[in-house]
Amino acid sequence: MPGSVELERHDGVALLRLTNPPVNGLSFAMRAALGDRIMEVLADDGVAAIVVAGAGRMFCGGADIREFDAPPPPGAASLPAVLAEMEASRKPVVAAIHGVAAGGGLEVALACHVRLAVPGTRLGLPEVTLGIVPGAGGTQRLPRLIGVEPALDVIVGGRLLAAERALALGIVDQVVDGDLLDGAIARARQLAADGGPLRRASLLEERVAEARARPGIFAAFRKQMARRARGFDAPYACVESVENAVSLPFAEGMAAERRIFERLRASDQSRAQRHAFFAEREATKIPDVPRATPALPVERAAIVGCGTMGGGIAMTFANAGIPVTVVDVSEEALDKGLAVVAQNYAATVAKGRLSQAAMDERLARIARSVRYEDVRDADIVVEAVFERMELKQEVFRRLDAACKPDAVLATNTSTLDVDEIAATTSRPESVIGTHFFSPANVMRLMENVRGRRSSPRTIATVMQLAKRLGKVGVLVGVCDGFVGNRLLAPYLREAEFLLEEGAPPQQVDRVLFEFGLPMGPFQMSDLAGNDVSWFIRQRQAATRPAHLRYSPVADRICERGRFGQKTGAGWYRYEPGSRTPVPDPLVEELIAGAAAEAGIARRAVGDDEIVPRCLYPLVNEGAKVLDEGIALRASDIDIVWMHGYGFPRYRGGPMFWADLVGLRTIYDALSRLHDEHGERLEPAPLLKRLAEQGKEFGDVGS
Ligand code: 3H9
């Protein structure tokens, strides 16, 4: 990314425009240009005041993240130093902000003396989401400007705030309704004419002095963020840096911020989180479905099936402002399903995260019907009935008859063959999978499954829809389990084998939780419901190769009606009304019995065996999925697992994590497991190839 700073003169006011499309990223070239321009206008007697603005769509999206993979080039302009010059200027400097001011972009604005923004602008310091701390004074100037606790919220939260919120907090001085540049130039000129003292954030001591008198605030904040920040380094580093703003003079706080920034920039966590950022954007690019492909504008939607998934998907549409009709076989089924929807909304209202008015509006967008004719106007219909092929095919036959000709017909199947479903319609080109994850109104992943005949228009429609629904859409191909559940299968399988070999469920769960997953495999199954996978296993039983090892423990648990939390027992026991898993001797007995039948000698399993044993086979499956073209790129698999299964973002998803571990290490370990356990753990050809060539999954296709 190059980058320049254009200079325009407006009768004594210098307008500096950050110019580096698409987001005016602060590349090294841009920082140097900004430094040069500041020096130029400060030395120019014809300039009495300065306005800093952004060209094109926004003010500035922050540092150019692509340059973070290497240390700064020798002699690179230091942004903090440039901003120090600018802030120290005796000529007033006004920031004219539109679009977005994020990260380094907001830090540029914080070093100006006055900040103006137009309505609709979003501002914030999202560095924490990239595994770093703000590195150009954000952690030192913001607490001085708005107070320590609000600054912690902004910096550790990492979200972009609306201009009005930023005004209320004191981040911007004014939200301008008229022409931004005219307003900013007039304000700058006025400030120069007044000749009064300029407000420099670095010199504001009142807020930090006040915080110094309340030393407990940082410990309290750390405690409050602990659950959300588990495993992440950056949120803690952000708190440390803000704490420095309180305990150190400005210059020392700045020096410490830089050291922390550099340490984190070079860390694996930050590399992983930057990978996640770009992976999310890559996932929207489909080589044979270019951006310009016409998509069907979705103005009305329909859902078939009002169970947990159907209700959650209906909420997703309603939340995005799209009217939706839910169809089910009976009024009773609709009553039951929609009562759950209403309860979910009410719980959000009770937590203060949604207003009653907004809840009413959303509920009003959800219509109900027992007649397929009522989906006639829908631009997209999402089928979310029970996971059985004949049932889904019947639904699609009826949809084919009822829907308007250009409607997209989507199935929420998590494992079934989309092509077989499409084949029952007269319009397979309009059929596609949209696999939502439970709870559908919360989980961000939408695994869009492209059938053999899905048309570019159908694909473009669901990919654009994902964005509109606030989801991350990933396009995958048809196979059993698609990307997400296909990789889940070997992970769960090896976890269950480890039980037979001697590890109790709570040990496996603990180690994988400590790795960073939201919960281990057995707690996850108990939460999701063990009956779902039991049903799938029954379907697969006929085709399961008889010579491969199979653990019957999960089936035996289900045979006893232990479907998980919802039945009060599964892999664990649950006290009534509690979600806390309690180890159950009965499960231990079932495991020991199965091991004895299979002649498996039980032993103490080391904690250090568990991650390789469960996750290397998952990565191996990922290599197969990639090789088969089911996933377009390794980073798409990462997205599926980060957003669908909670794979920790600070590890960048399973494939990026594998690259960090080293494919040679994984290949060698799998080869040993293959020798010990047989064919199911044979390293995938792609993994072997990459390991031998010293390459990474990230190199595939690039
Ligand atoms: C920082 O500032 C450190 C400082 O504290 C210290 C410095 C010393 N760099 O998201 P979009 C690309 S750290 C490089 O679709 P939108 C993006 O990959 C930075 N590239 O647009 C995409 O490329 P492509 C802190 C970037 O309008 C294209 O631009 N800042 C950067 O939906 C369009 O992106 C952040 O964390 C970047 N900084 O949203 C903000 N940003 O077309 C990160 C974007 O090839 N950025 N690209 O796929 C964002 O959150 C959004 O991009 C933004 C615009 C809200 C700005």
Side-chain angles (χ1 to χ4, degrees), residues 496 530 534 537 551-559 562 571:
E496 287 174 26
N530 298 318
W534 188 34
R537 282 196 303 279
S551 170
V553 179
D555 294 342
R556 290 181 186 169
I557 281 178
C558 289
E559 283 156 16
R562 300 174 65 112
W571 289 99

Side-chain angles (χ1 to χ4, degrees), residues 117-142:
V118 282
T121 306
R122 294 180 301 144
L123 308 96
L125 294 170
E127 283 88 341
V128 70
T129 64
L130 300 169
I132 51 174
V133 299
T139 64
Q140 304 304 298
R141 287 195 177 91
L142 194 64

Side-chain angles (χ1 to χ4, degrees), residues 642-654:
M642 281 188 284
H643 289 295
Y645 302 81
F647 200 94
R649 197 173 173 91
Y650 60 79
R651 296 198 192 270

Side-chain angles (χ1 to χ4, degrees), residues 301-314 317 324-330 333-334 338 366-376 378 380-387 391-400 402-403 408-413 434 436:
I303 315 292
V304 182
C306 198
T308 313
M309 282 315 286
I313 300 169
F317 278 94
V324 55
T325 302
V326 183
V327 177
D328 211 319
V329 286
S330 66
L334 287 167
L338 293 175
I366 305 179
R368 54 186 283 163
S369 176
V370 289
R371 290 152 25 110
Y372 275 73
E373 298 86 86
D374 289 334
V375 306
R376 200 181 314 111
I380 182 166
V381 184
V382 182
E383 163 278 309
V385 302
F386 198 67
E387 193 74 354
L391 183 62
K392 293 199 186 262
Q393 287 181 326
E394 175 55 23
V395 169
F396 272 76
R397 267 191 286 273
R398 297 183 68 176
L399 288 177
D400 193 20
C403 292
V408 168
L409 310 185
T411 167
N412 181 51
T413 180
T434 50
F436 289 85

Side-chain angles (χ1 to χ4, degrees), residues 19-222:
T19 310
N20 191 6
V23 301
N24 296 332
L26 290 157
S27 57
F28 288 115
M30 171 83 115
R31 298 175 204 192
L34 181 62
D36 291 348
R37 286 299 195 197
I38 296 284
M39 298 311 277
E40 182 184 341
V41 295
L42 288 182
D44 185 338
D45 289 341
V47 171
I50 301 161
V51 170
V52 181
R57 290 202 294 134
M58 64 183 72
F59 183 76
C60 173
D64 180 353
I65 315 165
R66 286 174 217 273
E67 291 181 343
F68 280 17
D69 286 339
S78 145
L79 187 59
V82 169
L83 298 186
E85 285 289 344
M86 190 172 83
E87 192 190 41
S89 154
R90 276 182 292 112
K91 301 179 183 182
V93 186
V94 174
I97 310 170
H98 77 294
V100 174
L106 182 59
E107 290 173 303
V108 169
L110 291 175
C112 296
H113 305 127
V114 170
R115 284 157 291 280
L116 309 183
V118 282
T121 306
R122 294 180 301 144
L123 308 96
L125 294 170
E127 283 88 341
V128 70
T129 64
L130 300 169
I132 51 174
V133 299
T139 64
Q140 304 304 298
R141 287 195 177 91
L142 194 64
R144 287 179 162 81
L145 194 63
I146 68 170
V148 168
E149 276 118 333
L152 282 170
D153 284 337
V154 172
I155 295 168
V156 178
R159 276 183 302 275
L160 299 185
L161 311 172
E164 295 69 22
R165 176 86 190 118
L167 176 68
L169 285 173
I171 299 174
V172 298
D173 300 290
Q174 193 189 339
V175 176
V176 182
D177 273 320
D179 185 89
L180 175 66
L181 290 182
D182 286 352
I185 290 168
R187 181 75 170 261
R189 194 171 287 134
Q190 188 62 49
L191 284 168
D194 291 349
L198 298 171
R199 193 158 175 258
R200 298 182 174 87
S202 64
L203 299 181
L204 304 174
E205 283 305 316
E206 197 183 320
R207 301 295 188 95
V208 285
E210 182 264 333
R212 216 168 285 138
R214 294 183 295 125
I217 52 181
F218 294 101
F221 193 86
R222 285 192 183 93

